[in-house]
Amino acid sequence: MMNILHSGLGMIKGLRKPISLLAFSCFVSLGTLVLYNLPFFEYVADNTNETTGGKLFLLGSLVVIMLVLNFMMTYLVMFLLRMVGRILLAILSIINATAVYFIYTYNVIIDATTIENVFNTRYSEASGFFSWSLWLSIFVFGVLPALYCLFQPVVIGRVKRLAICCGSSLAIILAIASMHISQTLWISQHDTELGGLLQPWSYVVNICRVASFTHDEQAEEIKLADGKIADEEKTVVVLVIGESARKANFQLYGYQRDTNPLLAKREDLKVYQATSCATYTTAGTKAILEPQNSDDLYELLPNYAYRTGVDVTWRTSNWGEPPIHIEEYLTNEQLGEQYPDENIYHDAILLKGLRERITSSQKNKVLVILHTSTSHGPKYADKYPKAFEVYKPVARNVEEGEKNIDWLVNAYDNTIRYTDYLLDSLITTLSTMNDWHSAMIFISDHGESLGENKMFMHGLPMKLAPKEQYEIPFLVWTSEHFRTYKPDSELPEVLEQHYIFHSVLNLLAIESPAYNKDFDIFK
């Protein structure tokens, strides 16, 4: 027993022996390659058209480049930052482990869209991803390597050694890269996937990109030309921005399940084919509210209507929308304070007291925007009251649903039935307001993947996204004798989200140079 104890102590002491910075950087670089970058090499192997020999040469070259690049960066960070460098490497190890877990579990790539989704996700939603497998993965592949980076004694060495190591590394990288100039076109065609699977560079680079985008978006929005309200008729428009609602699971679009039992009975409901401009909330919501598809930040529908003299209210159980500049912006938590008997985690809270809010308005034009979260993953089953759990059994989250796709679809379909109930209730409320012209428009910010091609949820770049992530429902109801729809022959077969802005201007009788009749569904 004593011999075993002495042997164990000897091993621990051996691990605590100082090593050179050269050796430390080699260990960290090799660990980064093996632990965090196998998805990158799997993608290259599956998508290159090279012969077997060419594929092996390409993979071997990428292995060398990655080893040398990570070696050089580790050497520089440790040499220049010392203890701060250790902490940075430890943090990167934990983030790497988390990133690879989500890549393997949810088939995502860590691009700018994913990073923006992370920054725009509340804890209440993020906690839905927490599981023992996640924590175990982070501990084994993140925490343990992080401890090595923090506590392994390292002999830093001299500046001359730094110059030799970094100079040699750059020379090797340039030499190997020059041998693959012919791969430039292939790399450019797959740059999003390759960059999104390369750790830690995927999130380091894309965090910088998102920070740059955010800085640009915080610039003052581009004001639209002044408009005016053309009549005094009492009008209310309710725009419902759905979350992750995909067309494929709506009975109204031919889905075999009766996920729209109430709306399907309404002959006065107009159903349009539509696609989203993006696959994540921020960009999808922006596209719904802006007059045209643009990377610039134009004055959004609620801001413009409010400035023109419309009474505008925004009610939300979601987040991630672009800047909203109106007087009344209410979250589900704030509504819950007004209506304590209502469950703030179900979107019926957004409809509470809405009739009274509209009829008490001091203005003749009212715009209500409801930003829901009804079909947002990963815990679809938490998004609706138990009374709407028609399809059973259900997966409690996406991770559980990976093992049984049917259970995941059941939970998701229940959210669509709940959406059906909410929209039907809203239409019923509006239809009884005889003194008002009224309209309800429902459109989703984007779609959702439910296991097709082993993809889940949303957020893939548009050029890679499957149709489930961008084919969305677009539903419209208006009260009698209000507006006349354009015939289908005058509209494209598939509408885009920008039709909302111009159609709502028409409904609210706002005359404006910003209005484009070609993007209006009404005459």
Side-chain angles (χ1 to χ4, degrees), residues 49-66:
N49 294 322
E50 293 286 327
T51 62
T52 301
K55 182 182 294 186
L56 291 175
F57 180 58
L58 176 61
L59 289 171
S61 299
L62 290 172
V63 166
V64 174
I65 288 176
M66 191 176 298

Side-chain angles (χ1 to χ4, degrees), residues 92-106:
L92 292 179
S93 296
I94 295 173
I95 299 176
N96 285 340
T98 307
V100 172
Y101 174 85
F102 277 89
I103 288 171
Y104 274 124
T105 304
Y106 298 105

Side-chain angles (χ1 to χ4, degrees), residues 257-271:
R257 278 182 164 176
D258 57 341
T259 51
N260 304 125
L262 301 175
L263 294 178
K265 298 176 182 178
R266 290 192 172 274
E267 296 181 357
D268 53 356
L269 186 73
K270 190 73 173 176
V271 179

Side-chain angles (χ1 to χ4, degrees), residues 123-130 317 332 343-348 373-389 394-398 400 407-408 410-415 418:
Y123 175 82
S124 59
E125 294 294 344
S127 61
F129 295 103
F130 296 166
S317 62
N332 55 324
N343 187 330
I344 66 171
Y345 299 109
H346 297 150
D347 280 335
S373 61
T374 313
S375 298
H376 196 295
K379 293 185 176 182
Y380 304 115
D382 291 346
K383 294 296 184 177
Y384 52 83
K386 288 299 179 183
F388 290 86
E389 195 160 276
V394 298
R396 304 316 305 178
N397 53 49
V398 170
E400 181 182 331
W407 292 15
L408 185 69
N410 285 345
Y412 183 84
D413 284 350
N414 290 332
T415 71
Y418 186 47

